[in-house]
Amino acid sequence: MKKIVLLLLIATAFFACKNDSKSSTKSEDNELNVYTHRHYDSDKQLFEMFEKETGIKVNVINSKADELIQKMVLEGEQSPADVLITVDAGRLHMAKEKGLLQPVSDKKIIDSIIPSNLIDKDYHWVALTKRARVLVYAKDRVDPTSLTTYEDLVLPQWKGKLLFRSSSNIYNQSLMASIVANDGEETAKKWAEGLVENQARKPKGNDRDQVKAVAAGEGDVAIVNTYYIGKMLNSNDRTELEAADQVAVFFPNQNDRGTHINVSGIGVAKYSPNPEAANKLINFLLSEEAQEVFALSNYEYPVNENIENSEVLKAWGDFKEDDLHLNQLGELNKKAVILFDEAGWK
Ligand SMILES: [Fe+2]
């Protein structure tokens, strides 16, 4: 009797193993695990389009960006992640530094679609969309001809009038990294001190809150990513809509290096169970049909240069972009954090 039970156990274990290996092979061929920080309808639509075109099922694992990176670190070689999608070049760089990514396979295709400053030098990540970090100002109180550059925000005329979020925010860290890259450390530190000197209040809230504070008269000029204005202008929330209506967008540094640009981007996970499908997804997301969806539904600038901007973005006009290589934003991130700290930017 004991023997029969043992044989049965072995047989069950054998079949269980067989089934396991079968189903895992199947999932590797036909499924893709996307770790993403983006939580937009546009992305959902794009994954559905990709599923239809390729027959590869997309499983979305949504979480905060730093949590996703931490999850990948903890999972190590066992990580089911095939791709990581996140925002800000600083954060993409962090994922690369932690050894979480591998080079994309179709470098030539990517080179032909995106400008080189938007691609990691080792091809560990590529940009999907661009956003500009602009100034928004109170239409009724600020003459736009008084605005010029990020650097000029230190002028005494802006005392008590500037609004910006905390220096712990990666968008500000990347902006600071761009100031360091363009102006040098000393000037960058003085710049941060000057902005703190001119702040309307201690940094608090997110980008949208800065726009609302301008509308509420707490300050006159705020530093904000472009797509938040687009979203607020098209929001169902009345307070957002009304706040966005009271501000206008200004692109700084048009007579020198151009306005600071950042991206959302994607990379193939280092231990991707299905790197072939991961690369297929990247190529798809850079294709004209996918870039059009990004451009139309999320008020971001497409990285595929054949695609036109959405109407909201067109209304703000063309502008000159700072074409600093985005690797520098990552490389200078730690320096930016230290300088912010020294300058007292909370
Ligand atoms: Fe954002």
Side-chain angles (χ1 to χ4, degrees):
M1 185 65 184
K2 260 188 187 170
K3 251 189 187 171
I4 294 169
V5 171
L6 194 66
L7 277 173
L8 268 174
L9 276 175
I10 292 169
T12 316
F14 174 75
F15 281 114
C17 277
K18 237 187 141 186
N19 279 342
D20 255 352
S21 71
K22 208 174 158 193
S23 69
S24 78
T25 313
K26 193 169 169 253
S27 88
E28 281 167 24
D29 286 346
N30 290 324
E31 290 190 18
L32 192 66
N33 296 320
V34 175
Y35 279 30
T36 177
H37 163 67
R38 290 174 55 103
H39 40 79
Y40 308 128
D41 292 342
S42 55
D43 297 39
K44 217 176 132 199
Q45 188 189 338
L46 286 166
F47 296 146
E48 280 165 13
M49 282 161 70
F50 177 75
E51 281 184 350
K52 255 192 203 151
E53 279 184 28
T54 61
I56 299 168
K57 186 173 180 293
V58 175
N59 304 314
V60 175
I61 294 93
N62 241 173
S63 189
K64 285 187 184 154
D66 295 328
E67 284 172 14
L68 284 174
I69 289 176
Q70 193 52 27
K71 186 170 157 67
M72 287 172 79
V73 169
L74 291 173
E75 288 167 346
E77 293 181 27
Q78 305 305 317
S79 177
D82 288 300
V83 296
L84 172 69
I85 298 177
T86 189
V87 296
D88 200 280
R91 204 177 263 128
L92 289 159
H93 181 82
M94 194 195 300
K96 178 191 175 188
E97 290 284 282
K98 288 183 188 290
L100 301 177
L101 303 174
Q102 59 171 299
V104 297
S105 57
D106 303 308
K107 295 174 186 154
K108 275 194 184 141
I109 297 179
I110 285 160
D111 281 339
S112 71
I113 298 174
I114 323 178
S116 61
N117 67 307
L118 306 180
I119 307 169
D120 172 51
K121 283 176 180 151
D122 303 311
Y123 291 86
H124 281 223
W125 53 262
V126 300
L128 290 176
T129 60
K130 287 186 289 188
R131 40 282 285 285
R133 196 144 182 79
V134 294
L135 306 180
V136 298
Y137 60 92
K139 282 195 261 189
D140 61 343
R141 300 190 297 280
V142 175
D143 173 0
T145 60
S146 63
L147 291 165
T148 49
T149 60
Y150 299 108
E151 283 81 354
D152 277 355
L153 293 174
V154 304
L155 296 176
Q157 71 189 91
W158 301 115
K159 180 122 183 120
K161 298 209 156 68
L162 304 183
L163 290 152
F164 40 79
R165 68 199 287 179
S166 152
S167 66
S168 64
N169 172 256
I170 192 102
Y171 302 144
N172 278 345
Q173 291 170 6
S174 285
L175 172 62
M176 181 58 158
S178 82
I179 304 267
V180 175
N182 282 294
D183 301 338
E185 273 181 44
E186 268 310 301
T187 310
K189 188 178 161 187
K190 286 207 184 92
W191 174 76
E193 285 168 351
L195 260 67
V196 171
E197 184 69 29
N198 284 347
Q199 68 192 6
R201 62 178 189 191
K202 275 195 186 144
K204 64 173 179 182
N206 56 26
D207 278 10
R208 290 181 210 232
D209 293 324
Q210 313 312 314
V211 179
K212 287 179 200 162
V214 172
E218 279 191 67
D220 286 352
V221 177
I223 302 176
V224 187
N225 280 357
T226 34
Y227 58 92
Y228 288 117
I229 324 289
K231 280 170 176 284
M232 290 176 81
L233 283 171
N234 291 278
S235 174
N236 295 324
D237 178 340
R238 245 189 111 123
T239 45
E240 286 204 343
L241 202 65
E242 285 169 2
D245 256 342
Q246 293 179 55
V247 303
V249 169
F250 180 82
F251 293 98
N253 297 72
Q254 291 304 289
N255 294 324
D256 48 63
R257 65 181 180 273
T259 298
H260 171 64
I261 288 295
N262 209 318
V263 296
S264 71
I266 188 167
V268 181
K270 174 80 180 279
Y271 302 109
S272 164
N274 198 351
E276 201 182 312
N279 279 289
K280 262 190 200 160
L281 178 72
I282 293 177
N283 295 346
F284 167 75
L285 292 176
L286 294 172
S287 70
E288 294 190 4
E289 58 171 335
Q291 286 285 306
E292 220 152 71
V293 174
F294 277 134
L296 292 180
S297 46
N298 204 39
Y299 314 107
E300 293 177 282
Y301 293 94
V303 287
N304 185 323
E305 291 179 324
N306 295 330
I307 303 302
E308 274 191 50
N309 294 333
S310 65
E311 293 303 318
V312 174
L313 301 191
K314 272 190 206 160
W316 297 333
D318 287 335
F319 68 100
K320 183 180 174 187
E321 299 173 13
D322 182 358
D323 62 2
L324 179 74
H325 198 292
L326 294 188
N327 272 91
Q328 290 219 45
L329 303 184
E331 284 156 12
L332 290 168
N333 178 273
K334 284 199 183 90
K335 179 59 71 188
V337 173
I338 292 168
L339 291 172
F340 266 146
D341 214 38
E342 288 174 2
W345 186 321
K346 298 290 177 211

